[in-house]
Amino acid sequence: MGIFIIASTFIVLIVCLLRPRNVKNVYFAAQLYSKIAWLLGVKVTITGQENIPAGSCVYVANHQSNYDIFFLTAAVPSGTVSIGKKSILYFPFFGLIYWLSGNIFIERGNKIKAMQALKKTKEKMLKKNMSVWLFPEGTRNYGKGLKPFKTGAFHLARNAELPLVPVSASSYYPNFRLNRLNNGEMIIKYLPPIDKETLLTQPVREVVASVYEKINNEIALLDEETARANRRAVKQHTP
């Protein structure tokens, strides 16, 4: 796995240097890093693609751990960048790749600068017809339940007058082991989008609460589905 990560990072860095800050870099990197899921013994299944809008939108998903870079990246659509905290820039190699890929940094501790970054993001989305992927929890939950949502992603969708697509990923972190060949299945599901009319007419806090409930309820359903699938797999391999 270490060799694969080093090799893929080198490849992504070369591609990003050849076309710096190109929105296509994110999809290329996401598809490459997502291949590591197989080495980690995780089968990633993606559903609900019919809910992806034709144009730009804002995706909001639950965030379990740093391993999401190997699992959730499989679901990142082409033409989509992510928004991450500025401290990512200082991670060796990864910070440089994250910036060169065209992703966007935001200073979460500085409200004024954060709002300025979101305004620039909105302008870039509309100009380049790109989408944005965010983790509204603002941090990793480590499989201990969905944390409260911040409102930045919802304000971004509202101000840009673009649909917002909730994304639910089944829980993998509590039972994940690096030294295990089979870590079961992880299901990522796109939920029906929240249209711009709803975002413009309903109070942001109400939309946040509604989306939180939708994502949380879907995670519970996906967890039941993966648990059944994993039990079937165990029975099939039991003598």
Side-chain angles (χ1 to χ4, degrees):
M1 185 184 72
I3 293 172
F4 188 97
I5 291 174
I6 293 172
S8 57
T9 297
F10 178 75
I11 293 170
V12 171
L13 182 59
I14 294 299
V15 171
C16 289
L17 287 172
L18 291 174
R19 52 179 192 189
R21 304 292 293 165
N22 191 310
V23 69
K24 294 180 181 179
N25 292 343
V26 176
Y27 181 72
F28 176 81
Q31 291 301 301
L32 189 56
Y33 283 128
S34 67
K35 300 299 184 290
I36 300 177
W38 179 80
L39 293 174
L40 294 173
V42 176
K43 177 187 177 184
V44 178
T45 301
I46 304 170
T47 64
Q49 290 96 327
E50 68 276 5
N51 291 318
I52 299 177
S56 300
C57 65
V58 175
Y59 298 96
V60 290
N62 54 310
H63 188 19
Q64 297 180 58
S65 76
N66 288 335
Y67 292 113
D68 283 349
I69 192 175
F70 305 133
F71 307 143
L72 280 178
T73 45
V76 174
S78 179
T80 302
V81 302
S82 68
I83 294 182
K85 54 187 178 181
K86 195 173 182 178
S87 58
I88 294 176
L89 181 60
Y90 306 107
F91 291 4
F93 295 108
F94 180 74
L96 177 61
I97 289 175
Y98 191 86
W99 180 77
L100 285 172
S101 296
N103 292 299
I104 299 165
F105 290 111
I106 189 170
E107 291 189 45
R108 289 177 179 157
N110 189 318
K111 188 174 182 180
I112 294 177
K113 288 187 177 181
M115 293 303 293
Q116 290 174 343
L118 288 176
K119 183 179 179 181
K120 290 181 180 179
T121 301
K122 180 198 76 171
E123 294 170 353
K124 192 173 181 180
M125 291 176 71
L126 296 175
K127 183 179 179 180
K128 296 190 174 183
N129 192 33
M130 73 179 194
S131 298
V132 171
W133 185 292
L134 298 100
F135 297 115
E137 294 170 277
T139 186
R140 300 165 292 279
N141 62 47
Y142 297 111
K144 297 179 180 178
L146 202 61
K147 291 181 178 294
F149 283 179
K150 300 181 184 301
T151 60
F154 300 85
H155 282 292
L156 175 60
R158 178 173 182 159
N159 292 337
E161 297 187 19
L162 294 172
L164 182 141
V165 181
V167 182
S168 291
S170 63
S171 305
Y172 68 84
Y173 189 79
N175 301 312
F176 178 76
R177 299 292 182 273
L178 268 177
N179 61 348
R180 191 160 56 194
L181 293 176
N182 185 358
N183 278 298
E185 183 180 17
M186 176 188 181
I187 303 176
I188 305 169
K189 184 174 182 179
Y190 296 98
L191 306 184
I194 311 301
D195 57 58
K196 63 180 182 181
E197 287 75 17
T198 299
L199 290 165
L200 289 170
T201 57
Q202 292 188 8
V204 171
R205 293 288 179 181
E206 290 184 11
V207 178
V208 172
S210 175
V211 171
Y212 181 95
E213 184 178 10
K214 292 177 187 295
I215 290 179
N216 202 32
N217 289 343
E218 193 60 43
I219 290 172
L221 294 174
L222 295 177
D223 285 350
E224 291 179 6
E225 186 175 344
T226 55
R228 288 194 298 268
N230 292 337
R231 285 196 295 268
R232 287 195 299 269
V234 169
K235 288 181 180 179
Q236 289 174 359
H237 290 86
T238 301

